[in-house]
Amino acid sequence: MQSKPTRVPIPLSEKERKQLKGMAAKEIRSESAMARIIYLAGLKQLSEKK
């Protein structure tokens, strides 16, 4: 049984937010979905370094 996802606020600068918004628009995703994809990619990269 999967638990309900929890939202985690991430502070972004205006420049970072615009970049996220642009990336999301290119892939026809919401900003939150794009942020999650970026987070998961970064998590994978960090865990591979160890």
Side-chain angles (χ1 to χ4, degrees), residues 39-50:
Y39 166 79
L40 291 173
L43 191 62
K44 181 180 177 187
Q45 186 177 26
L46 286 171
S47 67
E48 289 173 353
K49 285 185 178 181
K50 294 180 180 181

Side-chain angles (χ1 to χ4, degrees), residues 3-48:
S3 62
K4 183 178 177 183
T6 303
R7 300 244 178 223
V8 178
I10 301 172
L12 297 174
S13 68
E14 190 63 33
K15 182 180 177 181
E16 292 165 339
R17 181 73 188 266
K18 285 180 182 178
Q19 191 175 18
L20 176 65
K21 192 173 187 174
M23 293 170 73
K26 282 183 185 177
E27 296 197 16
I28 312 170
R29 299 180 189 275
S30 68
E31 290 175 46
S32 60
M34 191 75 239
R36 184 168 193 275
I37 289 169
I38 294 167
Y39 166 79
L40 291 173
L43 191 62
K44 181 180 177 187
Q45 186 177 26
L46 286 171
S47 67
E48 289 173 353

